[in-house]
Amino acid sequence: RGDVETIPLQLALEFRYADDASESDDCLRRLSSGGGGGGSTRHGAASALASVSAEAFKAALPCPPAPASGPVKLIVAEVSKELMFVGGRYRKLCRRLPQTPWILDGERRMDTSVEELISPAIVRLAKADSASFASAGREDVDVRMLGRGRPFLLRLLNPRVARLTAAETAALQAEINAADDRVQVSHLCQVNRAHCEALRAGESEKVKCYSALCRCTGGPPITAEDAGKLSGLAASGLVLEQSTPVRVLHRRTVAVRKRRILSLNLEPLPPDAADAGRLFRLRLRTEAGAYVKEFVHGDLGRTRPSLGELLGEGRQCDLLLLDVVDVELDWPHVGGDAAADSKADLKADPDADLKVDPVSDPDADLKVDPDADLKVDPDADLKVDSDVNL
């Protein structure tokens, strides 16, 4: 019937019999190069089969296989819907919020997260069992995500709703944005697997833009000549060599990564500001994976050159505040009313209660009190445990 929407279903059947474990292990040993195999798991079987040609498979195993040596039992039969994907962009407007639940040594840190402020309403509307959250990178707990926001994706497991309309996603977006002023979403829409692949492919190619408030703690004050020198270095091609930062050594492989700084702009604060000539604003564009915090302070010599080394004359720099002001990845690709609704919502100034307009002026917060975060906990960054490449 033309008025009935079809819903693709997945049927999962699990059969077992007495010798299935030994036979599958033997099968994987024959197929795997080196004889190691991946074990009797779905991942092990997929890994073994992915690299084997049809000819090699027939040479290693009887085709067709021998009949089962005993009765075959149906253990599990599950019917579920195919995954539903919902994408959008989020802005994080505070400096004490992790992207995902922060569990450290089995203990919950902070009351909620970006994921938990976005996901529940979408899971409820789609009538899904659960959802997994993914995004184009992540920012640290004490770093805001401003501008257009960061692309994110929700994979909804077993949704009972076939499709989300533009009106439904617009209402859902408004609901999420009204619930908590720490996180705002835009461009919310249902996407497909091709969009998911585009997000994954863009992960390593995206460019990120930052605005940082910094302090020069050694050497002479910062001058306009210093600013011009830095801009010229970036324009001619500035490549950083960054060893795995100290703050993530406990969970990251030790390696030296080369990342490019694409543009660099240093702006000394006005002469009448506190610490004139010492405080400055840094705006930069970088390749994905660059550690901006470590570029500023040098990370005990693990990032070369550091900002202080580039400025010269014995200068050292500290980072006080950091914002991501853009993730240059055109995702999700939406059209029609959904795109118009999302753009209208972005311009509605959801930050009015914060007395900050991060879209038109990403540095507004930096002008209020450059030492505000330092009064809370100067070592907060050392305690952060999130997988961010800043």
Side-chain angles (χ1 to χ4, degrees):
R1 291 171 50 189
D3 59 341
V4 175
E5 185 171 4
T6 60
I7 302 176
L9 298 176
Q10 293 179 329
L11 175 62
L13 302 175
E14 181 180 348
F15 296 94
R16 291 184 185 175
Y17 77 107
D19 297 329
D20 62 355
S22 60
E23 289 187 5
S24 61
D25 285 345
D26 180 60
C27 171
L28 290 175
R29 277 195 298 270
R30 295 188 187 189
L31 293 178
S32 300
S33 59
S40 298
T41 64
R42 177 179 297 182
H43 177 72
S47 298
L49 292 171
S51 58
V52 176
S53 66
E55 292 74 17
F57 184 92
K58 292 178 181 179
L61 298 166
C63 293
S69 59
V72 178
K73 297 180 180 180
L74 175 61
I75 304 300
V76 176
E78 292 183 344
V79 178
S80 61
K81 278 203 57 189
E82 290 187 347
L83 292 173
M84 176 186 287
F85 304 98
V86 174
R89 302 180 79 102
Y90 75 81
R91 294 188 295 155
K92 193 185 85 172
L93 305 177
C94 75
R95 299 189 186 279
R96 296 190 63 81
L97 185 68
Q99 188 194 68
T100 55
W102 186 10
I103 310 297
L104 186 60
D105 297 329
E107 181 181 346
R108 174 74 187 242
R109 303 295 181 92
M110 301 192 178
D111 63 319
T112 189
S113 64
V114 172
E115 175 185 352
E116 292 165 294
L117 293 176
I118 295 175
S119 299
I122 301 175
V123 170
R124 184 178 66 252
L125 180 62
K127 298 181 179 179
D129 289 347
S130 61
S132 61
F133 184 92
S135 64
R138 64 166 65 194
E139 65 286 333
D140 222 334
V141 172
D142 59 345
V143 175
R144 297 188 303 175
M145 178 66 241
L146 305 179
R148 297 184 299 163
R150 186 183 298 276
F152 72 90
L153 172 71
L154 276 183
R155 298 179 179 88
L156 298 160
L157 178 64
N158 196 26
R160 276 72 168 180
V161 172
R163 185 174 62 89
L164 301 180
T165 66
E168 287 174 327
T169 54
L172 186 60
Q173 180 171 291
E175 176 187 344
I176 294 171
N177 290 343
D180 197 299
D181 60 9
R182 289 174 290 181
V183 171
Q184 302 286 285
V185 299
S186 65
H187 296 84
L188 196 67
C189 61
Q190 186 173 344
V191 298
N192 56 35
R193 288 185 181 275
H195 292 128
C196 300
E197 292 300 322
L199 179 63
R200 186 178 296 109
E203 171 67 22
S204 61
E205 301 172 359
K206 67 180 183 296
V207 170
K208 293 191 286 187
C209 304
Y210 299 88
S211 177
L213 182 67
C214 306
R215 176 185 282 126
C216 176
T217 58
I222 301 296
T223 65
E225 289 73 18
D226 294 319
K229 171 186 173 182
L230 286 181
S231 296
L233 287 173
S236 61
L238 177 57
V239 178
L240 306 181
E241 292 192 357
Q242 298 192 294
S243 296
T244 304
V246 170
R247 62 189 172 104
V248 297
L249 272 175
H250 63 290
R251 54 184 166 79
R252 285 283 180 88
T253 302
V254 177
V256 176
R257 300 169 177 86
K258 292 186 178 183
R259 294 293 185 269
R260 289 186 303 151
I261 301 295
L262 304 175
S263 68
L264 192 59
N265 177 268
L266 186 151
E267 177 189 346
L269 291 190
D272 57 348
D275 280 343
R278 295 293 178 182
L279 289 178
F280 60 92
R281 183 171 295 110
L282 185 69
R283 295 184 177 91
L284 63 165
R285 296 175 69 244
T286 75
E287 278 186 319
Y291 291 101
V292 172
K293 289 181 176 180
E294 282 67 25
F295 166 61
V296 172
H297 59 64
D299 197 29
L300 304 176
R302 300 176 66 84
T303 288
R304 303 291 305 273
S306 67
L307 182 59
E309 288 177 315
L310 294 176
L311 289 169
E313 299 187 71
R315 292 185 176 104
Q316 296 178 342
C317 299
D318 288 334
L319 188 145
L320 305 182
L321 297 171
L322 179 64
D323 292 330
V324 184
V325 295
D326 195 20
V327 177
E328 296 184 4
L329 180 62
D330 186 16
W331 196 95
H333 303 286
V334 295
D337 295 337
D341 291 343
S342 295
K343 292 176 181 178
D345 185 78
L346 186 62
K347 296 176 181 178
D349 190 12
D351 310 311
D353 291 343
L354 300 179
K355 303 297 188 294
V356 174
D357 183 9
V359 175
S360 60
D361 185 357
D363 303 312
D365 187 57
L366 306 184
K367 301 172 183 176
V368 178
D369 182 358
D371 300 317
D373 275 11
L374 301 182
K375 297 172 183 176
V376 177
D377 184 353
D379 299 318
D381 184 56
L382 300 180
K383 302 174 183 177
V384 171
D385 185 25
S386 58
D387 295 320
V388 59
N389 280 358
L390 292 176

